[in-house]
Amino acid sequence: MFRLLLSIGFAFLALVSYGQHPHLFRVRTITAGITVESLSDTTSVIKAVEFLKQARTDYTNAGYDVQTIRISTQNLYEYLGGKTLDEALPYLKKFDEIAQRDDVSFAIGSVLPPNEYNAAVAGWAAKLIGQTELINFSLPVSSTTLGIHRNGIKAAAEIVVAVAKVGKGGEGNFRFTASANCPAGIPFFPAAFHSGVNSFAVGLEYPNLLTEVFSKSTIVNARENLKAELEKQFLPVQALATNISFTYGWQYDGIDTSPAPGLDASIGTAIETLTKQPFGGPSTLSACSLITDVIKNLDLKTCGYSGLMLPVIEDKVLAQRANENRYTVQELLLFSSVSGTGLDVIPLAGSTSAATVERIFTDVASLSLKYTNKALSARLFLIPGKKAGDKVTFDNPYLTAAKVMKVE
């Protein structure tokens, strides 16, 4: 009865939220990747904004709900032009001003070269978060060429601790991630960075579509049904992107088929609809694996993660199941071994040490290298003044209340 009522209630909310659009999914982002010539190259940024606005209009006119448009550059360290990070800050603030004016999120990729440690980068990162609104950034903690980046892990952990003290409720870490074996061209933030000619990619929000398919499927035919429905729904998205590429002369990189969740589009609900069990219990792992097998093998041009996202405080059901102690941080990483994109927006105690964060990042980095093309990332929210078990709320409208999770 519980499962039936939950499915009916969620279906009603989905209809209310999505009723003005003919699809049970949204275009979460259209992300343009650009190669800027220098820190002062605002011209390329403005041209990308113009392209994104045209692309958004084309998708909107076709009946799609487009949530965001975003820009990613090549990794910051590649276009510093001899300037220090502190000297770069005024230029990044100019990028941020353009982004705020045009309501475009902005990613500058990695701020340090692979496996480099800089004792000053944590303090600089805190200044960047404090002085900008829309700039996202990352640090790599692993790669197939260099393996585990021990120096990068140390720097990334120190950034997390420093940034947690900026602003309210540790929310500054929403704009930073430790990226593990992540390729260029991911349309989702904060891991996004660009390489090569100017291009664009599409990211989708579609847990409600998964829920719809699973409500009409059994565990036996769910895989086949899901593949057929996703290809049916997403091929027109791809066709429109191909037309946009031809019309405006921007290379199309593909769709990141990760089913990004939202507060009214729960991946937790989708999984529970399939398993008939609360998320975190037996069969959760197999459901995560099934979904990922499908989304990684769609007959589409794909890019980015194309894996299952399990962001605790962006999904009301995942947050509720964490509140009920149905899974741990370590079990989330276990689920990522067969599916997901890593550890995303995990609320942790404000006193969590940099050493503990390093150990978490090392686990993520290790897992990313055990499989081919395993892109993972980790966004950890250290909540000042909160300990494990405490309830925390956020100012960010895209985040839901949750209990601080235990890691030590």
Side-chain angles (χ1 to χ4, degrees), residues 343-375:
L343 298 176
D344 200 12
V345 287
I346 311 297
L348 301 178
S351 61
T352 303
S353 66
T356 296
V357 176
E358 282 190 53
R359 289 193 287 271
I360 295 171
F361 286 168
T362 301
D363 282 348
V364 174
S366 298
L367 180 59
S368 75
L369 299 175
K370 292 302 179 184
Y371 303 93
T372 303
N373 299 324
K374 186 69 171 176

Side-chain angles (χ1 to χ4, degrees), residues 36 217 377 390:
V36 296
S217 303
S377 56
D390 287 349

Side-chain angles (χ1 to χ4, degrees), residues 80-267:
L80 285 174
K83 292 182 171 60
T84 66
L85 289 174
D86 279 329
E87 290 170 339
L89 194 54
Y91 296 92
L92 298 179
K93 289 169 69 174
K94 182 62 178 178
F95 286 163
D96 189 63
E97 289 170 8
I98 297 171
Q100 289 187 61
R101 182 191 68 200
D102 292 294
D103 194 21
V104 179
S105 294
F106 203 95
I108 56 174
S110 176
V111 297
L112 293 177
N115 207 26
E116 180 174 302
Y117 175 74
N118 180 337
V121 74
W124 177 86
K127 286 191 289 186
L128 177 66
I129 292 296
Q131 296 179 30
T132 63
E133 297 291 331
L134 297 172
I135 300 291
N136 292 256
F137 62 107
S138 62
L139 270 186
V141 296
S142 68
S143 65
T144 55
T145 53
L146 297 177
I148 295 175
H149 299 183
R150 302 288 179 182
N151 292 328
I153 287 172
K154 179 176 175 60
E158 291 176 2
I159 287 175
V160 168
V161 173
V163 168
K165 301 172 184 176
V166 180
K168 181 182 176 183
E171 292 184 34
N173 276 305
F174 192 74
R175 294 194 274 142
F176 171 73
T177 195
S179 59
N181 202 26
C182 287
I186 293 175
F188 292 108
F189 283 13
F193 71 96
H194 180 66
S195 179
V197 301
N198 289 355
S199 62
F200 74 101
V202 176
L204 302 174
E205 176 193 286
Y206 64 94
N208 289 344
L209 186 54
L210 299 182
T211 300
E212 174 72 11
V213 172
F214 292 154
S215 70
K216 301 175 180 178
S217 303
T218 67
I219 196 67
V220 175
N221 61 16
R223 187 186 306 269
E224 178 183 355
N225 291 351
L226 184 59
K227 186 176 190 298
E229 186 63 23
L230 294 186
E231 289 175 351
K232 174 185 174 182
Q233 296 290 336
F234 297 163
L235 280 171
V237 176
Q238 176 173 275
L240 183 51
T242 302
N243 185 64
I244 288 171
S245 175
F246 176 80
T247 301
Y248 304 115
W250 282 66
Q251 177 177 294
Y252 169 57
D253 290 336
I255 297 173
D256 189 324
T257 54
S258 305
L263 295 186
D264 62 348
S266 167
I267 194 66

